[in-house]
Amino acid sequence: MEKKKFINFKMIKELTPYIKKERWLFLSGLTMMLITSTLRLIDPLIIGHIVDKVVPDNDIGKLYQFAGLFVTVIVLSGLLTYYQVILLSKMGIKIVTRLKMQMFDKFLHLPVGYFDHNPVGELIARVESDCENVRQLFSDLSVTIFGNLLFFLGMLIVMFLRHFNVTLLLLIPISIIIISLFLLVSYLGKFYRKIRELNSQITGIITEYIQGISIIQLFNQQKRVISILDDKSKIKRNTDARATFTEYSFWGLFGFLIETVFIVILIYLLAPQILLGLVTLGTLIVFIQYTQRIFWPLIMVSENINQIQRAFASIYRIFNILNLSSEYDVDKGNEKHKYQPIRFDNLIEFRNVSFQYKEDELILNNINFCIKKGEKVALVGASGSGKTTTISLLCRFYNILSGGIYVDGIHINDFDLKEWRKKIGLVLQDVYLFPGDIRENIRIYDDTIVDEKIFEALEYVGASEMITRLKNGIATEIMERGQNLSVGEKQLLSFARAIVFDPEIIILDEATASVDVLTEKKIQKAMDKILEQKTAIIIAHRLSSVIHSDKIIFFHNGNIIAAGTHNQLLNESNEYKKLVNLQFLSHKEAG
Amino acid sequence: MKHNIRNIKWIINEWRSHKLMLSLLLFLTLVSASVTVTFPLIIKKLLDTLQYMVERPEIYSDIGPELWAIIWLFIIVGLVKLTVSTYPGFRSLMNTTFEYVLRIRYFSEILKKDFNFFNIFRTGDLVTRLTSDITDFPKIAWFMCSGIFRSLESFTKIMFCIAAMFYLNWQLTMLTLIPLPIMMIIFYITSNKLHNSFKKNQEAISEINNQLEMSFSGIKIIKAFVCENKYKRFFTDTLSKRFKTEIRLVTLNTRIRMIYEYIDYFAQIAVIVFGGIMVVTNDITIGTFFAFYTFLSMIIYPILDLPQLFVSGKQAFVNIDRLEEIKNYPIAKPVIPAKNKLSKIETISFEDVSFSYSKDEINILNNVSFNTKKGERAIIIGPIGAGKSTILGLLTGLLTPQKGVIKINGIPLDEIDLVDFREKIGYVPQEPFLFTGSIKDNIIFGKDSVSDDLYRSVLDIVQMKREIQLFKEQDSTRVGQRGVTLSGGQKQRLAIARALLRQPQILFFDDITASLDADNEENLWNDISKQFGEITCFIVSHRLSTIRYVDNVIFLDSGYLIAKGQHDLIIKQYPEYRNFVTGSRQISS
Ligand SMILES: Nc1ncnc2c1ncn2[C@@H]1O[C@H](COP(=O)(O)OP(=O)(O)OP(=O)(O)O)[C@@H](O)[C@H]1O
Ligand SMILES: Nc1ncnc2c1ncn2[C@@H]1O[C@H](COP(=O)(O)OP(=O)(O)OP(=O)(O)O)[C@@H](O)[C@H]1O
Ligand SMILES: [Mg+2]
Ligand SMILES: [Mg+2]
């Protein structure tokens, strides 16, 4: 873990804009808090006066005056506290909502690579539970601390005025407390950060296991996953327990110092003076009251500091993410072309493209090929040879290591990212459907896409039959990840999604791998029609899906070893020929 | 009310297993509460003594034995308090223990559930229930110990204080307690709304987690289709819903707190007015007057704690309900161990099996019957959505048929020990699911101990050996969640390796050829024949060339079994099958 103080000024600086935005709430909350803190100083003084003035004089009229004052103070501070809490909570919720929004926004714009290495569950924890942790800081802590500090200082001042020497002496235990508080706080900081970390790990583990539940059940691995969760939870419990025990032991000590040591000092110093008539009984009462009240702000501050620490552990993690660079910043390219409409009239060129996901693990090695506008190009090759990687680069999911992809001579990094992606219709190898109905899954909440268009797309991909089978048609709800559909059905839907937007370039990564061949044949006919005007890149292991392409590019271990039409490749490449032979049933076998 | 009682019973039940710790807590709580009460009494003694001494300046001019006695009293009480002061630590130890126990328990419950459950509960929601519902302040774990014991402590403090006040002067005590009943009524009215607000809020939280889950899981689609802004909008909407529920909660909460605060304030006013008069009229001493005042300002925090019990109780009850909802969701077929255990699987048969995913939907499978014997390789083929994966689900006991029986060795599947049966099968799902961890972790997932030979030969069979060698970290390369850092075919092959490593008697391959190249497939089958000669296989495939590696074909269309038998035979016998196969054949080499 990094060696860092739990609160550093950078974080505070980063937080200020959030408070600034809500400054009215903050300021009014703060003002109310300051007023109530001052009011809270008054009532011990009233008691002192009653003892010193009313009782010796037997003056009931004066008593009523003090009582009236007391009532005013209390009603006022009660009301102010109420509004203060409401206003500040509102501020806290507002700020946290904004933080969550920003986190979410940030995540949406992080490069794909980030999601390869961070489990979804941990990301959820970062947005939801880390932000929630910060809420207390704004809704209550930031101001309570001010209030309590003011209260504390106010008490000291009144005490100094009432009796200088005694107060001076009391400062010794007070400073001991403050110093040990400080030490305690910095000691506990690292625990809290660790707990946050464990918390999101646990969330991650649970998320993953819930999603892989059927595998766990089929492999009888319930015990194992439970024990993994068990281990992590146990570590969290122990860390938590250690932190709290340390903390409470200190509180006990502070309590002893304040309640016992203070009072003993007070009696020891003040009693002789009272007996000599130098100090009134009222003063002793005020001092006793105050010392007791010092305890509460300190306890409050303690809980506050505890929470602040937890909050700052979270803030640390939040800003770590907010400060990551988004995919726009990663590779800016040439600004010149950013604001021009993207034109693709001739050629997409891969020029000497090399790529690696990790240091020193070259996945693509000097790839060169081009795709003419209107062509259908197939990428084939063994599993793991780099086909999906190639199209990910075209979509700018990752940054190219060297070389470049050029569209009509312009590097794709020079385009506006979103505009470029809008040109592409993509079917991913791993189908993903959102929970929601079929309609929204296909048009992704784009209202300009009318139902007719959706039906048309479904018809093209051969899914209309399947839709008619469904009771609610395209309004059928899809469960998480489409688990209430068969895999082939899901593939068809994600296929429909890619063509409904009428993109210029269509990329199909194993789009029909889990579709039966008969359906695929039907699709192929329809596809010929829609792909007519379009450029298409098709990846398929099933060669029947690709043999009609204008060009077949044969990948092997991150290199292109052959390219050409089906017939050309059959003649030129032995590897390709072998692949073809393996895949098709000969007449004899088919009977 | 009944609902509250149920939840209270639930908590008591949880407490049963921690009796010792809880008794310790109870003891410490009582000690700490009684020590607290002695404090104002000593101060009273101090003030009265001082006043007595002040009135007799000729006798007393310095701290005498009377005052020393009081000082020692303070020190003793302080020390007692110091020794019991760590008990909040015990409290929070118990909190975290409860947190831990509950999470594990309900996670285990989830592990028993079937598809019905997961069709209803989304991941984000379940995760919320197992994390924030349990952990966060002031939810279940906090409430179950800290919440209750803090309230108990507060309650005893208040009671002890009131008792002490009665002891000092009952008339004044009565006067201070006047506003209490009125406040109680107001409180009761407000707090009724709480439960509802909590529930709404908790639902809003789950909704947010669901949204997050779906957006992060589908990030590539969101990016590829440039709909970041739309998803942002949804999230904003959900957040603003949450914003409202949170504000409602805070307002209610503060109001309840307020009422309690004023109970105590009114009592203090009563002390000042009536107590003041009584001091003036010499009915009570200054010490008593101040002790009353101290008692009342001392119990203000405990008094504020009490509504916390109600508030956090309501919150915790909602969360407990949400946990119990998980547990009580019915499982179609609970796994009951210690029934028939099979040593060798000889035959597998479907007899007239019909199945649908829910009662009000049409059947996915209709009267399907077939038999397979040991060592047989059967391919299940048919159009998409025909029910192929469903058959595998039934065979592995993930699903249960509504009608008909599935028999293994002639014994119905529900009379067989499912855990034991599953030990004998290897299953490769249609969409390979890998876990975060190393490649090796994933392959050996299904086994506790693996010999190196077996491990390596399995890697060989799935044709991964060479590829793994290319990775810098070899088989300790980490794969991301769901295997995102691998290619489609690599995921598939790791899933196959994971199944093979269990040395199963039956293999279920669901559409494994989808991302397997033909070369790999050829080698795979050859190696399986070589090393697992006797193995029974059910293969679902859309690649017709796979037929060459199998004995029998089961042809399925729209939930009906159309044909079963050798390819050569049924292609002549069944025109539907012939159509399906030949219609799809593209070229002949
Ligand atoms: N996100 C990633 N992080 C690290 N390595 C990756 C990532 N994605 C893929 N790889 C690795 O890059 C190589 C090429 O993968 P790619 O997905 O491009 O293969 P493919 O040709 O599409 O194979 P398949 O036919 O199996 O889908 C593989 O060795 C794979 O393990
Ligand atoms: N969990 C579920 N809830 C409701 N319906 C489901 C569920 N899973 C599958 N179905 C439906 O049951 C039918 C059969 O699905 P199944 O997955 O068995 O098809 P399949 O033959 O494996 O198809 P594919 O070749 O596409 O994988 C489909 O129409 C599907 O929509
Ligand atoms: Mg791929
Ligand atoms: Mg299937």
Side-chain angles (χ1 to χ4, degrees), chain A residues 162-209:
Chain A
R162 282 244 160 177
H163 204 295
F164 193 84
N165 291 342
V166 170
T167 314
L168 208 57
L169 223 93
L170 285 181
L171 275 183
I172 296 170
I174 288 179
S175 30
I176 291 178
I177 290 173
I178 290 174
I179 290 169
S180 31
L181 246 175
F182 186 78
L183 292 178
L184 178 71
V185 160
S186 43
Y187 175 71
L188 289 176
K190 67 170 196 284
F191 281 101
Y192 293 125
R193 220 178 277 166
K194 186 158 172 221
I195 292 170
R196 292 314 307 159
E197 194 58 45
L198 284 166
N199 192 49
S200 58
Q201 278 173 15
I202 287 172
T203 314
I205 290 175
I206 295 176
T207 310
E208 191 167 4
Y209 287 152

Side-chain angles (χ1 to χ4, degrees), chain A residues 460-477:
Chain A
Y460 275 133
V461 302
S464 40
E465 194 192 330
M466 147 204 168
I467 300 292
T468 45
R469 266 208 313 260
L470 296 169
K471 211 165 39 192
N472 296 326
I474 57 168
T476 305
E477 281 294 313

Side-chain angles (χ1 to χ4, degrees), chain B residues 476-487:
Chain B
S476 26
T477 305
R478 278 180 70 80
V479 306
Q481 198 173 31
R482 285 173 179 269
V484 278
T485 53
L486 294 172
S487 88

Side-chain angles (χ1 to χ4, degrees), chain A residues 112-113 116-117 355-358 361-364 380-392 398 429 509-510 539 541 555, chain B residues 220 464 467 470-471 477-478 483-491 493 515-517:
Chain A
V112 169
D116 290 350
H117 303 289
F355 175 76
Q356 58 188 23
Y357 288 101
K358 288 176 227 156
E361 244 184 70
L362 215 54
I363 300 294
L364 293 180
V380 300
S383 157
S385 56
K387 305 178 296 290
T388 304
T389 306
T390 305
I391 55 129
S392 298
Y398 301 94
Q429 193 169 13
D509 192 354
E510 298 289 359
I539 299 176
H541 283 299
F555 276 74
Chain B
K220 272 194 183 169
M464 278 298 284
E467 271 162 278
L470 293 178
F471 295 142
T477 305
R478 278 180 70 80
V484 278
T485 53
L486 294 172
S487 88
Q490 287 167 345
K491 275 188 267 189
R493 282 176 288 150
S515 35
L516 217 60
D517 53 274

Side-chain angles (χ1 to χ4, degrees), chain A residues 208 211 217 259 383 480, chain B residues 81 113 123 213 436 493:
Chain A
E208 191 167 4
Q211 292 183 339
Q217 290 173 342
E259 284 190 334
S383 157
E480 194 165 295
Chain B
K81 212 169 167 189
K113 301 295 179 189
T123 311
E213 194 277 332
T436 319
R493 282 176 288 150

